[in-house]
Amino acid sequence: QPLRELLSAMLPKSGRSNVHLVQTDQGADVSIDRVSTDSLAEIEALTGFAKRHGLARIALDEGMGPEPRWEPEPVTVTLGGVPVAFPVGSFLQATEAGEAALIAAAREAVGDAGTIADLFAGLGTFTFAFPRAKVYAAEAARDAVMALKGSANIALRQVFADHRDLYRRPVTGEELSRFDAVVLDPPRAGARDQARELARAATPRIAYISCNPSTFARDAEVICKGGYALEWVQPVGQFRWSTHVELAACFTRQSSG
């Protein structure tokens, strides 16, 4: 309701806006698009709103990307005990409970692997879930990679973050064979080309986190045809009142003998 009141004064009568809300370590992070603050009164109203409601940050996108208008201290999210800078609009799991369920499933799938490749790593939701392992984290979004690299504990956690577009340049089967396990968490489009490289790898274990059962089934078929067995699938319902479901799955490499 407070946002409705704020936007009613900022939007034209026929205007519409999208609002993105994230709970961060410092409080609510609010990003609003299709609005502008042209007058001093509007700017003061925006900062006054942020102060009254104790926001961590408020950002506006006037068509050139989100620009913070209020951020009294750097905004972070804690992942696996590590505070990570949170760029405006970055991806996180929808709920804390859902995130915890997916991490638990990934840990079960990976087991006691000492070296892990985290593909489509984002800000490090799964990267920092394995504090005793050496983790290679590949991610295409530059802001996310920079946030990962800037994490204070990255050296202590033995994490190497790589700015890499896995759709254009998937990690090869030869490269993946150097790891004890792989965690794969692609967008809804899945990871067709990366799955083909996984099918060629000798990596013992794969944890596949998916937000689209359809593209997961397509990629799983490719991986299994390469000699892996699908051990189990765990659905996770993060989105109440919807049919949307996420899942975690475990694949193991079968011996050629």
Side-chain angles (χ1 to χ4, degrees), residues 100-112 126 130 181-184 204-210 216-217 220 223-224 228-236 246-254:
L102 291 170
I103 287 174
R107 285 173 173 163
E108 180 181 348
V110 164
D112 59 357
F126 298 102
F130 306 98
V182 171
V183 176
L184 183 67
R205 305 179 70 85
I206 300 170
Y208 192 143
I209 313 299
S210 172
F216 166 78
I223 293 169
C224 288
Y228 283 87
L230 176 57
E231 298 288 345
W232 50 259
V233 176
Q234 172 65 56
V236 176
E246 302 204 19
L247 63 87
C250 174
F251 296 86
T252 57
R253 167 60 77 184
Q254 301 302 290

Side-chain angles (χ1 to χ4, degrees), residues 91-96 98-99 238-239 246:
F91 174 82
L92 290 175
Q93 294 296 332
T95 66
E96 290 183 355
E99 178 180 276
Q238 294 200 72
F239 300 92
E246 302 204 19

Side-chain angles (χ1 to χ4, degrees), residues 131-202:
R132 297 180 181 178
K134 294 181 180 179
V135 182
Y136 165 76
E139 170 58 43
R142 184 179 296 275
D143 287 348
V145 171
M146 295 305 294
L148 245 176
K149 288 183 176 180
S151 302
N153 290 35
I154 192 167
L156 182 64
R157 290 297 189 96
Q158 302 182 85
V159 171
F160 174 74
D162 187 12
H163 183 214
R164 183 166 181 163
D165 186 339
L166 297 172
Y167 287 111
R168 296 185 178 184
R169 191 165 62 94
V171 182
T172 67
E174 181 181 357
E175 292 173 299
L176 293 170
S177 296
R178 302 169 190 163
F179 295 93
D180 298 327
V182 171
V183 176
L184 183 67
D185 182 23
R188 289 188 60 80
R192 187 196 304 268
D193 292 340
Q194 188 60 76
R196 289 171 179 160
E197 292 300 328
L198 276 166
R200 300 185 181 106

